[in-house]
Amino acid sequence: MKAPEDINLLREKANEIRYEKGQERLDKMRNQERESLVKAHRNKSRCSYAVGFICLLVAAFGWAQGQGGQIVLQWLAVGAMLCVFGFKWAFRSWQIETGIVFVPGAFLRFFHHEKWLR
């Protein structure tokens, strides 16, 4: 396949192929396999959120005690990173559960209307 000169056309074609492959893969999965994958992503999300919130609490406690700013910032960074990972795994769980994979605007729909803490 010859690539078009316009990068936007190339991205559009790649997204079409990615969507087709993702939907094909989801359609081939048995319900039991999909449920176990959703459960695994949900558990990863919950663990990431839990550890992230603990790190944020340690940062708040350290700040209240007057510890150095560098230590507090490190705890804040790790806690924020783990919360972002939890959000990512919640989104993956939602994608598999609803079958909405590689659809433009799906992330914004999840962001505005769905439960982040799954």
Side-chain angles (χ1 to χ4, degrees):
M1 179 173 99
K2 184 180 175 190
E5 295 293 327
D6 187 14
I7 191 72
N8 292 329
L9 291 174
L10 184 62
R11 283 186 187 137
E12 185 178 309
K13 184 65 176 171
N15 285 336
E16 288 175 12
I17 292 170
R18 194 177 321 149
Y19 175 75
E20 291 171 7
K21 296 282 184 185
Q23 290 301 320
E24 182 180 307
R25 186 172 176 201
L26 274 177
D27 291 339
K28 289 181 181 178
M29 285 181 156
R30 296 185 319 258
N31 284 338
Q32 183 180 14
E33 186 179 0
R34 283 178 80 166
E35 288 300 319
S36 68
L37 198 55
V38 167
K39 184 178 178 183
H41 286 322
R42 188 178 300 134
N43 288 339
K44 288 178 190 177
S45 173
R46 289 176 181 170
C47 288
S48 293
Y49 278 135
V51 175
F53 288 139
I54 289 171
C55 289
L56 293 175
L57 287 175
V58 168
F61 186 70
W63 181 66
Q65 284 188 327
Q67 290 182 351
Q70 189 174 6
I71 295 172
V72 171
L73 286 177
Q74 288 174 354
W75 281 106
L76 279 174
V78 171
M81 178 190 67
L82 287 170
C83 288
V84 168
F85 285 160
F87 184 77
K88 180 184 93 167
W89 288 113
F91 178 61
R92 297 283 186 245
S93 171
W94 175 79
Q95 278 186 312
I96 295 168
E97 192 172 43
T98 59
I100 300 175
V101 180
F102 298 116
V103 176
F107 177 75
L108 290 177
R109 179 178 171 206
F110 173 76
F111 187 79
H112 291 295
H113 302 293
E114 298 298 325
K115 297 177 183 175
W116 294 3
L117 299 173
R118 296 182 73 62

